[in-house]
Amino acid sequence: MPFGQKHDASGTIIDFDKVYNELIAPTIREAGLEPLRADEEMTGGVIHKPMFERLILCEYAVADLTTANANVFYELGIRHAVRPWSTVMIFAEGSRLPFDVALLRAMPYTLTAAGVPAKDDGTKLALAKRLRAARDRAADSPLFQLLDGGGYDAGAPLFQILEGMKGLDIARLKTDVFREQVAYSQQLKSNLADARRAGLEAIRGIENRLGDLTDLETGVVIDLFLSYRAVKAWPDMVRFFERMPRLLQDTVMVQEQYALALNRNGQDEKAESVTKELLKKRGASSETYGILGRIYKDRWERLVKDGSLVRARGELEKAINAYLQGFETDWRDAYPGVNACTLMSLKDTSDERLFKILPVVSYAVERRLSGGSPDYWDYATLLELAVLRQDEVTASQYLSDALANIREPFEPETTARNLRLIRESRERRGEEVYSWMSKVEEELHKV
């Protein structure tokens, strides 16, 4: 299934985490089974060894076909190729299924206008019934239905083929071993959460105990990589990247975070090179352009401190353009948009683009809030926009919301830095700076 919040074809936001937690997982338990969802280790399109193990070894599977997610259909194809039965398909009512799966026996469920499962016991009962019926071992894979209709043993042909591939013996793969691997990974993630609270040395200790990263679940490797980010250990992030399997190194998300770490580690030229190469290979992305904008922004600030004002103006314009390109790539992502607004407000002369884009950025982040599950950056964006508009009441409201949703220490530091830049630019131009603006910065620095 998809993870997090996704838009369907009509633009409606669907909260798939709530679909899992409120509909799928409770129903699986009701059917006497144990729910297990792959973590967000699929970021960047990586399908790692544990994912294939889950698709092959799990005795029962539920596939949510809503939004026609490419990863979901790829996994469903693998599942139908190796499991003749026990795969239950569901989709949100109103979704349009592709032709090749539209004729399959998928079960609809109902969403509210907020994109969460409707309180409908009938759907849960029907899904639980499907799961219990899957134990009857009736072929639900269209491929095996075809083979069975042609006089083949529905349980044998493709399993025999797979058994001949690189020594893979399905009959000897034990589900209890698979479950132990899953439990081991979940425990590691719990240990990493504790280590992030304890500090850098605790994270390094876990890395040292893990040894070779090749056979670890992708989710664990990514979690360790981002744990170094959580404690602002930029040199460790750069070093750890070199240890990661090549498959992971090449993913978009890891490349982006690697560039972020390089820049924070003072290697801005290499960070710029990595980011530009990523844009060249993978195309425009609001996140990638946002990181490129941050590289130019940091460079601009260093040049200002060094007194190289002519060069600084050039880097500031490059930063604004990068952030604007990021926002224009995906107007739903307000982060590059608000950064473009802030940097335009720092210029010595008025930038007409600021007055055009500011309301668009405001609307983008307000739509995210209305979709449910806002995060720190949503509130921080609204706080920053309120400061740009010199709106003390609104700024105070969103400051409280932002402080209540902090996840990592670099988040409030980033916001405080932006507010400082806004304040200093106003002071430099001789404009009035209100005392409440400094107090907002102070509150952010207290965290």
Side-chain angles (χ1 to χ4, degrees), residues 297-354:
K297 177 181 173 183
D298 289 348
R299 198 178 288 166
W300 160 77
E301 193 169 13
R302 287 197 300 272
L303 288 169
V304 169
K305 288 180 179 179
D306 293 341
S308 303
L309 300 184
V310 175
R311 288 181 59 200
R313 282 196 292 272
E315 295 299 327
L316 179 60
E317 198 61 40
K318 284 162 64 177
I320 292 171
N321 289 335
Y323 281 126
L324 281 175
Q325 284 179 282
F327 186 54
E328 289 171 2
T329 298
D330 185 355
W331 290 2
R332 295 169 300 178
D333 186 355
Y335 173 78
V338 70
N339 274 281
C341 289
T342 294
L343 293 186
M344 283 188 278
S345 76
L346 306 184
K347 297 173 71 173
D348 294 330
T349 56
S350 177
D351 192 322
E352 293 182 0
R353 294 174 296 178
L354 172 60

Side-chain angles (χ1 to χ4, degrees), residues 86-195:
S86 71
T87 302
V88 176
M89 293 171 290
I90 63 175
F91 66 97
E93 283 184 340
S95 300
R96 186 171 181 177
L97 298 179
F99 177 78
D100 285 347
V101 297
L103 300 179
L104 300 180
R105 191 167 165 259
M107 193 197 85
Y109 62 87
T110 305
L111 293 172
T112 68
V116 300
K119 302 297 182 184
D120 178 8
D121 291 337
T123 302
K124 290 183 178 180
L125 290 171
L127 178 55
K129 184 177 179 180
R130 287 277 184 98
L131 286 166
R132 284 190 288 267
R135 299 179 180 182
D136 295 335
R137 299 165 69 90
D140 51 46
S141 160
L143 179 59
F144 279 96
Q145 288 171 345
L146 173 66
L147 294 175
D148 190 36
Y152 296 94
D153 177 354
L158 291 185
F159 273 58
Q160 291 173 356
I161 293 171
L162 284 170
E163 286 175 356
M165 293 173 60
K166 298 183 179 180
L168 176 62
D169 186 349
I170 298 291
R172 292 199 302 270
L173 293 173
K174 301 297 184 183
T175 305
D176 56 346
V177 174
F178 164 65
R179 285 178 177 150
E180 287 173 9
Q181 292 173 341
V182 172
Y184 172 68
S185 297
Q186 291 173 338
Q187 183 60 50
L188 270 177
K189 291 176 185 179
S190 176
N191 292 345
L192 277 170
D194 293 337

Side-chain angles (χ1 to χ4, degrees), residues 238-396:
V238 173
R239 173 188 57 76
F240 187 76
F241 172 84
E242 301 298 334
R243 291 195 58 211
M244 296 171 76
R246 181 62 184 271
L247 182 69
L248 276 182
Q249 287 182 343
D250 290 341
T251 62
V252 172
M253 189 273 283
V254 171
Q255 286 279 311
E256 288 171 341
Q257 294 303 308
Y258 177 51
L260 173 71
L262 285 169
N263 184 54
R264 298 292 184 92
N265 199 42
Q267 299 170 265
D268 61 295
E269 290 186 5
K270 187 173 182 180
E272 181 183 4
S273 175
V274 169
T275 308
K276 285 184 172 179
E277 187 64 22
L278 187 58
L279 287 168
K280 180 180 176 182
K281 287 183 177 179
R282 303 297 180 92
S285 156
S286 61
E287 179 71 14
T288 309
Y289 270 121
I291 291 171
L292 182 61
R294 176 61 190 258
I295 294 167
Y296 294 142
K297 177 181 173 183
D298 289 348
R299 198 178 288 166
W300 160 77
E301 193 169 13
R302 287 197 300 272
L303 288 169
V304 169
K305 288 180 179 179
D306 293 341
S308 303
L309 300 184
V310 175
R311 288 181 59 200
R313 282 196 292 272
E315 295 299 327
L316 179 60
E317 198 61 40
K318 284 162 64 177
I320 292 171
N321 289 335
Y323 281 126
L324 281 175
Q325 284 179 282
F327 186 54
E328 289 171 2
T329 298
D330 185 355
W331 290 2
R332 295 169 300 178
D333 186 355
Y335 173 78
V338 70
N339 274 281
C341 289
T342 294
L343 293 186
M344 283 188 278
S345 76
L346 306 184
K347 297 173 71 173
D348 294 330
T349 56
S350 177
D351 192 322
E352 293 182 0
R353 294 174 296 178
L354 172 60
F355 306 104
K356 293 179 180 179
I357 194 176
L358 196 101
V360 184
V361 176
S362 297
Y363 180 75
V365 71
E366 284 165 6
R367 291 304 303 156
R368 275 189 55 84
L369 287 180
S370 67
S373 303
D375 61 15
Y376 170 83
W377 293 115
D378 295 323
Y379 293 120
T381 296
L382 290 169
L383 166 61
E384 206 163 317
L385 292 172
V387 171
L388 286 172
R389 292 193 298 263
Q390 303 186 58
D391 183 345
E392 180 181 2
V393 174
T394 304
S396 177

